[in-house]
Amino acid sequence: MRILGEHDHLPQGSTVATIGMFDGVHRGHVLLVDFLKRQAEQAGKQSLVITFRHHPRQVLHPDGAFRLIMPTEDRLKHLGALDPDLLLPLDFTRELSQLDSYQFIELLHDRWGVDMLVAGYNHRFGHSRGETFEDYRRHGERLGVRVIKAPEYLGEYAPVSSTIIRNLISAGKVADALHCMGHPFTLKGKVVHGFHNGRGLGFPTANVGEIDPQVLLPHNGAYAVLAHVGGEVLQGMVNIGKRPTLDNGDQLSIEVNLFDFDRDIYGEAIALEFISFLRLEFKMCGLDELKHQLTLDRDNAKRLLHEYLTTKK
């Protein structure tokens, strides 16, 4: 696979392309890229996936609360793993947002050699958001670009969309999000100093900080996770919240307890794959009740992680 720059030019009629944000790179996106590759192979051309480095909503409404499922680096990595011939990450700008669909198809045709455009199911592009697929098809005919529609994902976990997945994660339904994407929702950060309360309870935790602020967080609560740190994949449980039982104030913390692990990992990069929800965060009567609840959480997390890893094989 070759990654293009937005100023690269390709020969006329050399590519079959699709375009989208592809946030989460879910099962519907996989179906779309597979369909694109088949169309390109049949036409004897290169398959081209075009995406944006930043979500249009974050550019046009920078003060909003919109958050992504995954950062750009991870999204490009997942798209690359689908193995299109070419991958083009574009900078979404206000100028680009002012192009109507005809002008946008013309840009694809003239600069990147697109003579067939695969439109994702229900996907809209261009400034004229009220246009339909038939409008795109007519524009394409005028420009010498064949516009076709990709099939809808109708698999076991349908319907899937990035919006549905964001809502699932925000509600704490990370197992449902995993099924829709085909891979776990992941948070990446760095182990930083925390409150250091867990070790006294027999549940030492690593405090996770420096998380990309553009990526959404699951609902406050406890989750079973797989943690990638220092080249190892470890089982654990994470709590997202304000630790009400320990009266640590209003500061949100993300603290992971890694099972059967006692190495100092302060300062190291860490990635948490969210496998299953355990419980909501709530204030308990004291440290004894908290310790008892953490024991139950750990047992439940180990069971859920074992089930996941067993079925994944």
Side-chain angles (χ1 to χ4, degrees), residues 3-21:
I3 297 181
L4 297 175
E6 58 185 280
H7 297 297
D8 286 336
H9 285 256
L10 298 177
Q12 291 294 310
S14 62
T15 61
V16 177
T18 191
I19 185 165
M21 190 64 201

Side-chain angles (χ1 to χ4, degrees), residues 21 52 54-68 92 94 97 129 162-163 166-167 214:
M21 190 64 201
F52 300 109
H54 299 93
H55 198 286
R57 287 177 60 177
Q58 292 180 313
V59 175
L60 300 176
H61 307 286
D63 297 328
F66 182 79
R67 295 292 181 267
L68 295 168
F92 188 87
R94 289 187 176 272
S97 74
R129 303 295 289 179
S162 297
T163 299
R166 285 189 205 101
N167 291 338
Q214 297 187 80

Side-chain angles (χ1 to χ4, degrees), residues 8-160:
D8 286 336
H9 285 256
L10 298 177
Q12 291 294 310
S14 62
T15 61
V16 177
T18 191
I19 185 165
M21 190 64 201
F22 301 104
D23 192 20
V25 192
H26 55 64
R27 294 180 188 274
H29 296 144
V30 173
L31 177 69
L32 171 59
V33 175
D34 284 346
F35 180 77
L36 168 77
K37 289 163 61 178
R38 290 197 302 273
Q39 295 298 314
E41 183 178 5
Q42 292 171 10
K45 303 178 187 297
Q46 291 186 296
S47 56
L48 168 61
V49 173
I50 304 171
T51 189
F52 300 109
R53 294 189 182 277
H54 299 93
H55 198 286
R57 287 177 60 177
Q58 292 180 313
V59 175
L60 300 176
H61 307 286
D63 297 328
F66 182 79
R67 295 292 181 267
L68 295 168
I69 300 168
M70 58 174 54
T72 301
E73 178 184 354
D74 289 359
R75 180 162 45 88
L76 295 180
K77 181 179 178 180
H78 277 266
L79 285 171
L82 301 181
D83 201 29
D85 296 310
L86 303 166
L87 177 60
L88 173 60
L90 289 179
D91 286 325
F92 188 87
T93 62
R94 289 187 176 272
E95 292 74 19
L96 189 64
S97 74
Q98 294 304 310
L99 298 181
D100 60 30
S101 55
Y102 179 90
Q103 293 169 319
F104 192 72
I105 295 172
E106 185 177 33
L107 174 66
L108 301 183
H109 175 265
D110 292 348
R111 185 174 296 179
W112 296 296
V114 176
D115 75 347
M116 182 187 296
L117 180 62
V118 178
Y121 185 79
N122 280 343
H123 182 67
R124 298 286 184 269
F125 58 86
H127 183 65
S128 307
R129 303 295 289 179
E131 291 189 323
T132 66
F133 171 78
E134 288 305 313
D135 294 313
Y136 302 153
R137 189 181 58 78
R138 284 193 293 270
H139 296 332
E141 286 180 352
R142 291 174 59 192
L143 292 163
V145 178
R146 183 183 173 206
V147 181
I148 64 173
K149 185 181 292 188
E152 179 184 6
Y153 172 75
L154 297 172
E156 180 180 359
Y157 303 106
V160 298

Side-chain angles (χ1 to χ4, degrees), residues 284-297:
M284 301 176 202
C285 295
L287 296 183
D288 287 342
E289 183 182 355
L290 175 58
K291 185 174 181 179
H292 175 69
Q293 182 61 57
L294 290 174
T295 301
L296 296 177
D297 293 340

Side-chain angles (χ1 to χ4, degrees), residues 299-311:
D299 292 345
N300 195 21
K302 286 185 174 181
R303 176 183 60 81
L304 291 166
L305 291 169
H306 175 74
E307 291 175 358
Y308 170 73
L309 291 171
T310 300
T311 56

